[in-house]
Amino acid sequence: MESRISIITGASSGIGRAIAENLLMKGYGVVGNARNKVGLAALEAWSKNTPGTFIPVEGDVTKEETLTKLLSVCHDTFGRGPCIGVVNAGRGLPGSITGSDASKWEDMVNLNVLGAFRQLRILANAMTSNDEASGELASRDIVVIGSTIGTNVSPTNHVYGATKFAVHGATEALRRELGPKGVRVSLIQPGFVRTNFQEASGYDIEAFEKAVQEIGPLVEAKDVARTVEFIVDQPPHVHLHDIMLRSTRQSYP
């Protein structure tokens, strides 16, 4: 039986996949969600050679039924709910308030903000239920993947950064609510990370590569995954709740 059970959203690629791979290599059970069926299938195939168990759940995390399914799959497969939840699914959008594509604002806010809020609520309720919270103190972790531009205003990504400001505020509020109940809520704020995020979100790849030349080598997805691993491996009485993760040469944001 897997020692710990986790739910990871946005698990089909980038940071989410790297986190899933790390936890699978530790022998943890991982219920991974994404809308990318092909990416989930690739991760499932990869997981066959790990000591952990990966269960893919395709679906949109802005929908309550998808989140409910993630919990039910945990119980059906592993016999208990998650003790690790990674709120990772999100999308970017280049541009300022006046210059970005306003037709894409609603979808991004639905995923980055409302979707994150729903994930936080359902994970919090699951980890504080009588069934999951009973017995001796055990590590229960909700880890949110934020961004440095959720603390420092970005010169070029105003709307995307604003969604991260909202999530950071909600994360800190939940930390204060759940800490006394034994649940650790942690925020990781990565700076520039080399994944497929920039291309998928429509960023100027030429400008991104120029930035890489100036501040690289960049943080990679596996670096964020190691940080998640470090957080959840702390003894139950130790809580790392806010970590900013940049490449050494990135001065701002």
Side-chain angles (χ1 to χ4, degrees):
M1 178 65 72
E2 283 75 2
S3 57
R4 298 189 75 182
I5 310 303
S6 61
I7 289 176
I8 303 172
T9 62
S12 62
S13 63
I15 291 172
R17 170 153 182 168
I19 295 169
E21 289 178 352
N22 258 29
L23 298 187
L24 287 164
M25 290 301 297
K26 292 174 69 68
Y28 291 179
V30 175
V31 178
N33 160 263
R35 291 179 296 179
N36 184 341
K37 184 177 182 178
V38 174
L40 287 177
L43 179 54
E44 183 179 21
W46 180 90
S47 72
K48 301 299 183 184
N49 295 317
T50 73
T53 301
F54 178 73
I55 307 296
V57 176
E58 183 187 359
D60 185 346
V61 290
T62 66
K63 307 297 184 184
E64 201 75 29
E65 57 265 29
T66 300
L67 298 175
T68 301
K69 184 175 181 180
L70 289 171
L71 289 181
S72 65
V73 167
C74 278
H75 284 278
D76 293 345
T77 305
F78 302 107
R80 61 191 192 276
C83 59
I84 298 173
V86 181
V87 179
N88 170 67
R91 67 175 60 175
L93 179 68
S96 66
I97 294 289
T98 58
S100 60
D101 185 348
S103 69
K104 296 181 179 179
W105 289 1
E106 186 173 355
D107 285 346
M108 184 175 65
V109 170
N110 279 340
L111 177 58
N112 291 8
V113 180
L114 300 180
F117 287 4
R118 290 189 178 98
Q119 291 171 68
L120 290 172
R121 182 174 66 175
I122 202 165
L123 289 167
N125 289 337
M127 292 186 191
T128 55
S129 69
N130 291 334
D131 290 341
E132 303 304 332
S134 61
E136 296 181 2
L137 181 65
S139 296
R140 287 168 284 156
D141 291 279
I142 299 174
V143 181
V144 178
I145 307 302
S147 172
T148 55
I149 65 171
T151 296
N152 303 295
V153 175
S154 167
T156 58
N157 291 278
H158 299 176
V159 186
Y160 171 67
T163 68
K164 291 301 184 179
F165 266 88
V167 171
H168 289 195
T171 301
E172 172 61 10
L174 192 64
R175 181 193 70 81
R176 298 183 187 189
E177 179 183 354
L178 297 189
K181 300 178 182 179
V183 178
R184 305 183 295 200
V185 182
S186 302
L187 173 68
I188 300 176
Q189 303 183 54
F192 287 105
V193 182
R194 182 178 284 283
T195 67
N196 63 339
F197 177 84
Q198 289 78 21
E199 187 173 2
S201 300
Y203 287 89
D204 184 337
I205 300 303
E206 184 177 340
F208 176 75
E209 292 299 337
K210 183 179 179 181
V212 171
Q213 294 301 315
E214 294 175 356
I215 67 171
L218 297 186
V219 170
E220 298 181 3
K222 63 183 179 182
D223 301 318
V224 183
R226 281 203 310 272
T227 305
V228 172
E229 182 181 356
F230 184 68
I231 288 171
V232 303
D233 278 355
Q234 296 305 306
H237 69 286
V238 177
H239 183 192
L240 299 170
H241 68 86
D242 194 351
I243 298 175
M244 196 167 286
L245 190 66
R246 294 186 178 99
S247 63
T248 302
R249 295 170 64 192
Q250 180 182 335
S251 61
Y252 189 86

